[in-house]
mmCIF file of all heavy atoms in Angstrom:
data_model
loop_
_atom_site.group_PDB
_atom_site.id
_atom_site.type_symbol
_atom_site.label_atom_id
_atom_site.label_comp_id
_atom_site.label_asym_id
_atom_site.label_seq_id
_atom_site.Cartn_x
_atom_site.Cartn_y
_atom_site.Cartn_z
ATOM 1 N N ARG A 52 134.895 65.303 81.102
ATOM 2 C CA ARG A 52 134.084 66.339 80.468
ATOM 3 C C ARG A 52 134.963 67.463 79.901
ATOM 4 O O ARG A 52 134.704 67.983 78.820
ATOM 5 C CB ARG A 52 133.080 66.908 81.471
ATOM 6 C CG ARG A 52 131.950 65.932 81.785
ATOM 7 C CD ARG A 52 130.869 66.587 82.634
ATOM 8 N NE ARG A 52 129.739 65.706 82.820
ATOM 9 C CZ ARG A 52 128.742 65.568 81.961
ATOM 10 N NH1 ARG A 52 128.758 66.251 80.838
ATOM 11 N NH2 ARG A 52 127.748 64.741 82.214
ATOM 12 N N THR A 68 143.717 64.066 64.451
ATOM 13 C CA THR A 68 144.384 63.927 65.747
ATOM 14 C C THR A 68 143.395 64.106 66.891
ATOM 15 O O THR A 68 143.392 63.353 67.866
ATOM 16 C CB THR A 68 145.517 64.959 65.879
ATOM 17 O OG1 THR A 68 146.468 64.750 64.827
ATOM 18 C CG2 THR A 68 146.219 64.832 67.223
ATOM 19 N N GLN A 180 129.285 100.032 72.726
ATOM 20 C CA GLN A 180 130.347 99.611 71.815
ATOM 21 C C GLN A 180 129.828 98.458 70.968
ATOM 22 O O GLN A 180 128.985 97.678 71.412
ATOM 23 C CB GLN A 180 131.569 99.129 72.612
ATOM 24 C CG GLN A 180 132.228 100.194 73.469
ATOM 25 C CD GLN A 180 133.323 100.925 72.734
ATOM 26 O OE1 GLN A 180 133.760 100.501 71.666
ATOM 27 N NE2 GLN A 180 133.778 102.028 73.313
ATOM 28 N N SER A 312 161.765 140.378 90.323
ATOM 29 C CA SER A 312 162.348 141.701 90.042
ATOM 30 C C SER A 312 163.057 142.190 91.307
ATOM 31 O O SER A 312 162.890 141.623 92.397
ATOM 32 C CB SER A 312 161.243 142.687 89.652
ATOM 33 O OG SER A 312 160.368 142.914 90.749
#
Side-chain angles (χ1 to χ4, degrees):
R52 288 188 174 276
T68 300
Q180 297 269 347
S312 65

